[in-house]
Amino acid sequence: MFTDKEKFKIEFKQRLIGNSGRQMHEVSEDDVYAALGSMIRERIGQDWAATNRAYTEHGERQVYYFSMEFLMGRLLGNNLLNLGVLELVREGLGELGWDLEDIEEYEADAGLGNGGLGRLAACFLDSLASLGYSGHGNGIRYRYGLFEQKIIDGHQVELPDYWLQKGNVWEVRRGDKKVNVRFWGNVESHEQNGRLVYETKNGEDVWAVPYDVPIVGYENSAVNTLRLWSAESAADPTRGFGGNYYNFLDYKRSVETVSEFLYPDDSQYEGKLLRLKQEYFLCSAGLQSVLRTFDKLRLPHDRLADKVAIHINDTHPTLVIPELMRILMDEKGFGWEDAWSIVTRTVSYTNHTILSEALETWPEQMIRELLPRVHMIIEELNKRFCASLLEQYPGDQERVSRMAIIEGGQIKMAHLAIHGSHSINGVAALHTDILKKREMKDFYELYPERFNNKTNGITHRRWLMHANPELENLLEETIGSAWKKQPDQLNELLKHTGDAVVQEKIRSVKRKNKERLAAYIHKKHGATVDPNSIFDVQVKRLHAYKRQLLNALHIMDLYNRIKENPALDLTPRTFIFGAKAAPGYYMAKQIIKLINNIADTVNNDPQTKDLLNVFFLENYSVSLAEKIVPAADVSEQISTAGKEASGTGNMKFMMNGALTIGTLDGANVEMYESLGDEGMYLFGLRIEEVEQYYREGGYSAQGIYNSDDRVKKVLDQLIQGPFCQNGQSFDSIYHSLLSHNDEYFVLRDFADYAQAQEQIGIDYRNTKLWTEKAILNIAKSGRFAGDRTIGEYASDIWGIKPVGVGSRLTTR
Ligand SMILES: *Cc1c(COP(=O)(O)O)cnc(C)c1O
């Protein structure tokens, strides 16, 4: 394996020619990517094998992070970074005439997730490996990831994301490790040694084939595994199907749909049978593989929890609870009580949302038919749980109904998850508080010791070092490199807040990143963007509660004010949006169209185009985020207080020196705790005020419309005016605000938001002041590194310590 640049170049040239079968002057950038990828993948293979050996020999507890989503993004750059060869490869390739950044663009962005939840899982994998923990991912290898978004005439159009088209150098198919997953069928029982044994007969069998992706730790030789399951037909095509080949093909097609695509709904529950199949497929396959690894230790199964921790990312993998019960009882011979003790000591659960529309409930009938034995176990669990509740709260039948796992023919997955886990955590202090005090109050009273907070974090390796290498260099020059392994050391930068030289360098880094993004926008939109303007960014899934609409209405208002007073002294701004809407989410799609109409108007009006520009960048994804985040001056985190569980976008921007305009919601609360009024622009209703409105009423959107002329004008412009090109109007948005009394308090927060924005415009001109705030943000961002979060999960929930791997022991 290469150890220096010259050796790399020699090895790479050989690989390139060998791989592509072309001569050096004939190869394409595609070939370069493929050759480099395979070379790096092989290098990882050595450490991967050693890591697995070390984990088996150590025999310590291993964590399996079960998640329906892993929003990984591209892996080449991050693998090079974590292997410690990024610079060497960049230079070597450069000398051969290729730009690494261009080569990285050839990798498909692995979009196996919707947004924050899936990206969190990806950041956690990076931190687990980098801290030397034996923690692995378990997910689904969707053939189609989250749809690709095109904007056509201002509307979102969804295209399939066939990310595997060009192959995937990082994955390894492990055909020998496939397992069987059984759906449908009927449960039969017989007596064996004095107890009833259950078995599902006549089911439909599906093979789950694992594809393993190595997860490389940062400069520690550790390589963990992300195991993604693919559904394949189990049948031997030469037998059965009444000799009818077409019957076989129908069956094959139906089986393969199980891992065909990711459901594109974010924070929104859809009770589709295929989705239920996916969830069980993940749980059943994942558990079988976990147990197979455990069996290598040759320990009795009542020791399972000592060696295995299963973490479920939201309720989507909750079926691990009844499924593990099934395996322990039906296959390993445990009685109910012993099996339950093993399950609850093994499983822990993260709650991600309090939005009622996102809470999973499945019709009992659907589970009974698709998973008859699992249904029996859930029924029994519910019976026992309700009986114990009645004992604890005699006569309180109402409480028992509220807390039941099955109620009104629906199975409540959150209740099942809480009852079957030893730990339940929220994802930011405020969110955990709401869980304890309101949403899951009954459960908190029953199991207070199970509830805890783990504020989300992001990997500073991808979001700072890889996305913003210039900032990385500046930090290294200024405070050394201790922060790379201990991100809380970023606070060393505080000593340099007032240093004029550092300030100038910070501005120059931001400037370069803005120029780079401007060039990207120019390429995509053909538009010229002024890097002197404030880059004001809102990128995240499109959702009513995230209030992209508040931002949009404010831009309309700015436009109106310039038109009314052309001499208005505004600091020039470039508003940048990026957001995918769930394909069936009408209101969200209308908001996308509105933003694009606003862009059309303000960017082309000679009176406003030098002061206001709006761009909606299509197909927001991890790789696009990596281009946008380092270039932002202002980060929009403006959800209705109490609705955003944590947010992680907020943290990425903070770490890259953008200033946040935000509500006291999710992790913004903790950011504000660290930053104070100097470091952040807070506005809007507090959660108590929002709750009071919900409880007592008293909010009138119409009242604000009637009394605030600016609001009135903007709302009327949703029906006709400069933003309603070609007779288009936004009646549904208008009515959601006025007829439906503005559920998310957009109008209520409008004036306060506009004022905070005005202050930003003023402060931005004071470059010294602004840079000091930016430095403060970077310096305080270590608290929001995923390494901090994973350290807390490891010690408080999983009870694991780092494992020394290979030559470079991870001792921290
Ligand atoms: C970080 C990230 C998110 C989450 O952003 P929020 O602002 O926390 O909602 C969503 N999508 C992508 C691609 C991300 O990188």
Side-chain angles (χ1 to χ4, degrees):
M1 275 312 154
F2 60 89
T3 45
D4 60 40
K5 190 172 65 188
E6 292 311 315
K7 293 211 181 75
F8 164 76
K9 280 159 64 182
I10 293 165
E11 213 180 297
F12 177 71
K13 278 194 280 190
Q14 279 172 355
R15 174 72 60 126
L16 184 53
I17 293 164
N19 243 29
S20 66
R22 292 173 166 168
Q23 301 177 62
M24 278 301 275
H25 68 272
E26 294 174 325
V27 297
S28 66
E29 287 183 327
D30 242 338
D31 296 328
V32 173
Y33 170 76
L36 182 59
S38 80
M39 201 168 140
I40 298 306
R41 165 55 200 83
E42 256 180 53
R43 187 186 177 102
I44 293 168
Q46 313 285 329
D47 286 344
W48 205 0
T51 304
N52 281 324
R53 203 175 327 115
Y55 289 165
T56 309
E57 280 166 11
H58 253 261
E60 290 300 321
R61 197 180 202 198
Q62 303 203 43
V63 178
Y64 299 91
Y65 195 84
F66 279 50
S67 178
M68 288 289 282
E69 305 190 8
F70 286 91
L71 191 49
M72 300 298 287
R74 295 181 176 135
L75 293 180
L76 176 61
N78 270 84
N79 285 341
L80 292 171
L81 173 74
N82 285 8
L83 289 169
V85 297
L86 181 63
E87 277 322 303
L88 179 164
V89 168
R90 190 199 308 283
E91 285 169 20
L93 277 186
E95 288 169 22
L96 295 171
W98 289 290
D99 184 339
L100 177 60
E101 262 185 46
D102 296 341
I103 302 303
E104 286 181 54
E105 295 285 322
Y106 279 81
E107 180 170 346
D109 184 307
L112 307 185
N114 273 287
L117 176 148
R119 184 54 230 173
L120 183 77
C123 281
F124 279 3
L125 292 182
D126 186 72
S127 285
L128 280 164
S130 295
L131 295 175
Y133 290 113
S134 55
H136 313 280
N138 192 57
I140 294 179
R141 180 181 180 268
Y142 302 106
R143 214 125 55 87
Y144 295 89
L146 184 60
F147 64 85
E148 182 186 337
Q149 180 195 54
K150 287 258 179 247
I151 301 296
I152 298 178
D153 295 333
H155 291 283
Q156 165 172 301
V157 173
E158 302 96 22
L159 302 177
D161 163 50
Y162 190 34
W163 68 292
L164 293 167
Q165 191 143 44
K166 289 192 286 186
N168 176 3
V169 285
W170 306 114
E171 67 183 13
V172 186
R173 184 178 197 273
R174 307 262 189 224
D176 57 323
K177 293 198 173 163
K178 65 180 189 284
V179 298
N180 195 28
V181 176
R182 183 164 293 179
F183 297 106
W184 312 107
N186 48 287
V187 179
E188 290 179 7
S189 61
H190 62 274
E191 221 183 272
Q192 197 175 35
N193 306 327
R195 56 191 295 270
L196 273 181
V197 176
Y198 295 87
E199 212 180 328
T200 304
K201 291 281 174 64
N202 309 311
E204 181 184 275
D205 286 345
V206 174
W207 282 125
V209 180
Y211 285 72
D212 287 352
V213 180
I215 304 295
V216 180
Y218 178 65
E219 296 189 349
N220 67 353
S221 302
V223 181
N224 290 342
T225 302
L226 167 59
R227 175 157 284 185
L228 298 175
W229 297 95
S230 177
E232 294 185 7
S233 51
D236 178 348
T238 59
R239 282 187 290 130
F241 302 100
N244 187 330
Y245 186 62
Y246 291 104
N247 286 355
F248 166 71
L249 290 183
D250 284 346
Y251 159 77
K252 180 176 175 341
R253 217 166 294 139
S254 131
V255 161
E256 288 170 359
T257 57
V258 173
S259 57
E260 188 80 350
F261 72 96
L262 165 78
Y263 276 90
D265 303 285
D266 185 72
S267 307
Q268 183 87 31
Y269 164 74
E270 263 213 87
K272 296 269 167 63
L273 176 67
L274 179 55
R275 169 74 179 190
L276 181 63
K277 275 186 150 182
Q278 291 184 335
E279 293 184 357
Y280 181 68
F281 178 74
L282 167 70
C283 294
S284 169
L287 275 176
Q288 291 182 62
S289 143
V290 167
L291 289 170
R292 201 183 267 172
T293 306
F294 173 78
D295 285 342
K296 288 191 197 150
L297 299 171
R298 300 179 180 282
L299 291 171
H301 284 88
D302 59 4
R303 298 280 313 277
L304 185 71
D306 299 343
K307 302 298 175 188
V308 169
I310 292 175
H311 198 90
I312 58 177
N313 195 22
D314 213 326
T315 55
H316 319 142
T318 299
L319 291 173
V320 292
I321 290 166
E323 176 66 3
L324 184 53
M325 282 297 279
R326 186 191 69 75
I327 296 171
L328 291 171
M329 293 192 300
D330 296 355
E331 295 176 13
K332 309 293 178 191
F334 283 91
W336 183 277
E337 296 296 340
D338 291 338
W340 187 241
S341 158
I342 297 171
V343 170
T344 52
R345 282 181 289 131
T346 303
V347 179
S348 48
Y349 153 59
T350 296
N351 175 289
H352 277 271
T353 182
I354 45 182
L355 297 177
S356 56
E357 65 268 33
L359 289 180
E360 266 193 311
T361 61
W362 288 100
E364 197 182 357
Q365 185 60 22
M366 201 188 272
I367 295 197
R368 185 186 288 125
E369 285 173 18
L370 184 70
L371 309 166
R373 179 59 181 142
V374 165
H375 173 260
M376 283 174 70
I377 291 169
I378 297 175
E379 220 176 14
E380 179 67 19
L381 265 172
N382 182 52
K383 213 171 82 191
R384 289 173 184 242
F385 181 49
C386 290
S388 79
L389 284 175
L390 257 186
E391 246 173 63
Q392 181 126 357
Y393 308 104
D396 198 348
Q397 188 55 52
E398 205 173 298
R399 181 188 286 254
V400 176
S401 310
R402 272 201 317 263
M403 297 179 73
I405 295 166
I406 308 177
E407 225 266 313
Q410 297 285 316
I411 299 181
K412 297 180 174 172
M413 301 305 265
H415 294 192
L416 180 53
I418 295 173
H419 183 48
S421 301
H422 63 84
S423 165
I424 298 108
N425 73 282
V427 289
L430 179 73
H431 171 231
T432 302
D433 228 49
I434 297 171
L435 288 181
K436 289 182 185 174
K437 292 201 182 122
R438 210 182 62 210
E439 291 306 308
M440 301 297 169
K441 183 164 180 284
D442 293 329
F443 282 93
Y444 177 58
E445 283 167 12
L446 181 65
Y447 302 130
E449 72 292 345
R450 294 189 185 184
F451 283 77
N452 62 92
N453 176 248
K454 295 287 168 282
T455 300
N456 283 167
I458 54 159
T459 167
H460 62 293
R461 287 166 290 273
R462 180 178 291 263
W463 296 109
L464 198 169
M465 295 163 71
H466 183 251
N468 199 347
E470 268 117 357
L471 181 57
E472 179 198 12
N473 290 340
L474 185 163
L475 288 168
E476 201 165 333
E477 279 169 32
T478 314
I479 58 169
S481 50
W483 59 273
K484 294 184 182 180
K485 292 222 165 181
Q486 291 168 318
D488 50 333
Q489 294 290 310
L490 283 168
N491 65 15
E492 285 294 302
L493 194 62
L494 283 178
K495 295 177 187 153
H496 306 272
T497 314
D499 182 334
V501 178
V502 173
Q503 286 181 8
E504 187 47 48
K505 286 183 186 164
I506 288 275
R507 281 194 290 273
S508 140
V509 166
K510 185 61 82 182
R511 170 90 192 184
K512 278 186 202 137
N513 290 326
K514 288 170 77 173
E515 283 167 357
R516 200 169 302 133
L517 182 61
Y520 177 84
I521 294 174
H522 184 78
K523 198 174 80 191
K524 286 270 166 183
H525 291 251
T528 309
V529 183
D530 178 9
N532 293 312
S533 65
I534 302 174
F535 279 22
D536 182 324
V537 180
Q538 188 171 20
V539 288
K540 48 184 72 252
R541 282 300 288 256
L542 213 137
H543 219 292
Y545 82 83
K546 291 178 182 278
R547 297 202 295 191
Q548 280 93 350
L549 184 55
L550 175 58
N551 190 346
L553 296 179
H554 174 248
I555 301 171
M556 291 163 66
D557 177 54
L558 286 177
Y559 175 83
N560 292 337
R561 287 168 60 200
I562 300 170
K563 297 298 281 185
E564 285 158 18
N565 174 15
L568 192 69
D569 185 25
L570 275 186
T571 312
R573 280 213 209 211
T574 301
F575 291 94
I576 294 164
F577 291 87
K580 287 178 183 176
Y585 192 167
Y586 177 75
M587 191 64 73
K589 290 180 147 181
Q590 286 294 105
I591 292 170
I592 290 179
K593 175 61 176 158
L594 173 64
I595 293 167
N596 282 304
N597 279 13
I598 296 170
D600 227 30
T601 302
V602 307
N603 297 359
N604 295 307
D605 187 318
Q607 270 182 311
T608 57
K609 69 185 178 54
D610 294 331
L611 288 177
L612 282 186
N613 272 275
V614 179
F615 296 100
F616 190 101
L617 302 185
E618 66 186 9
N619 204 37
Y620 182 56
S621 53
V622 173
S623 49
L624 183 55
E626 287 177 56
K627 295 183 176 73
I628 294 173
V629 170
D633 295 307
V634 174
S635 159
E636 299 268 355
Q637 308 300 337
I638 60 178
S639 52
T640 311
K643 299 285 181 188
E644 186 77 89
S646 164
T648 48
N650 46 3
M651 302 168 184
K652 299 167 195 165
F653 285 102
M654 178 187 185
M655 198 174 267
N656 282 277
L659 307 197
T660 301
I661 179 166
T663 47
L664 269 183
D665 198 16
N668 292 358
V669 175
E670 287 149 90
M671 284 167 55
Y672 181 67
E673 232 172 64
S674 293
L675 294 167
D677 287 316
E678 280 87 85
M680 205 169 149
Y681 296 88
L682 218 57
F683 75 96
L685 291 176
R686 307 298 192 249
I687 184 170
E688 300 79 23
E689 299 168 297
V690 170
E691 284 182 347
Q692 192 176 337
Y693 276 133
Y694 282 138
R695 224 175 27 243
E696 297 166 17
Y699 175 55
S700 167
Q702 188 72 48
I704 296 179
Y705 173 86
N706 293 336
S707 63
D708 185 329
D709 290 344
R710 280 163 68 178
V711 167
K712 178 172 190 306
K713 179 159 185 177
V714 160
L715 288 206
D716 290 343
Q717 286 171 333
L718 292 171
I719 305 297
Q720 60 168 218
F723 309 104
C724 295
Q725 292 93 335
N726 310 319
Q728 161 107 29
S729 74
F730 298 93
D731 304 42
S732 53
I733 299 178
Y734 180 87
H735 288 299
S736 80
L737 293 173
L738 291 179
S739 318
H740 301 287
N741 203 31
D742 181 19
E743 194 183 342
Y744 296 97
F745 304 100
V746 172
L747 304 189
R748 179 66 178 76
D749 279 346
F750 183 86
D752 203 13
Y753 177 68
Q755 194 179 352
Q757 283 288 28
E758 199 159 329
Q759 191 61 46
I760 285 175
I762 294 166
D763 289 357
Y764 186 78
R765 296 178 180 200
N766 184 343
T767 51
K768 184 168 176 305
L769 174 80
W770 187 270
T771 314
E772 281 173 10
K773 290 174 189 284
I775 293 174
L776 180 65
N777 270 268
I778 299 165
K780 295 281 189 176
S781 69
R783 176 175 177 184
F784 302 102
D787 289 7
R788 187 268 310 150
T789 313
I790 282 298
E792 293 173 6
Y793 274 86
S795 64
D796 304 350
I797 299 180
W798 302 325
I800 57 167
K801 290 198 179 64
V803 178
V805 173
S807 51
R808 281 166 285 180
L809 284 177
T810 46
T811 43
R812 265 173 56 94

